Amino acid sequence: MLIHHHKTLCVCDFTTLLELSQPKISRHLAQLREHGIVSDSRKGRWVYYSLNNQLPDWCQRVINETYQASQTELAELLKKSLTSESCCE
């Protein structure tokens, strides 16, 4: 839902928002990438993740509906909003 909201995020953004370790986040993102749910792009030494724009319609609907249903929880998480001084810029 964070990727859906922000469109593109770096691993360091996830560590900031979720307060989890970089290896744990990277492992989960690798699984999502392997299954075609997210895609990644490299800018220098940083890897940015976004939702795969080739997802089937049914998958996009599930993500959109889950996003809409999770607005309360997501709002709490986003109170930790990312600063303009991201670690990867």
Side-chain angles (χ1 to χ4, degrees):
M1 297 306 97
L2 289 171
I3 294 175
H4 186 285
H5 181 78
H6 288 285
K7 306 302 181 214
T8 303
L9 288 173
C10 181
V11 171
C12 64
D13 296 326
F14 287 102
T15 61
T16 299
L17 290 166
L18 299 175
E19 299 176 351
L20 295 171
S21 69
Q22 178 272 325
K24 180 178 266 193
I25 290 169
S26 292
R27 184 174 64 249
H28 286 88
L29 287 168
Q31 290 175 342
L32 291 170
R33 186 182 62 240
E34 288 171 16
H35 294 305
I37 297 170
V38 299
S39 56
D40 62 345
S41 61
R42 186 171 293 276
K43 293 181 185 173
R45 65 182 198 163
W46 305 108
V47 179
Y48 293 86
Y49 293 87
S50 56
L51 289 175
N52 182 347
N53 60 7
Q54 301 292 317
L55 288 172
D57 289 341
W58 69 266
C59 191
Q60 291 179 23
R61 280 193 308 274
V62 168
I63 291 170
N64 289 333
E65 289 175 18
T66 304
Y67 178 78
Q68 294 302 318
S70 65
Q71 289 301 299
T72 303
E73 295 85 359
L74 192 59
E76 285 298 314
L77 188 59
L78 293 173
K79 284 182 183 177
K80 301 176 191 174
S81 73
L82 302 171
T83 66
S84 59
E85 296 179 26
S86 179
C87 61
C88 46
E89 291 184 2

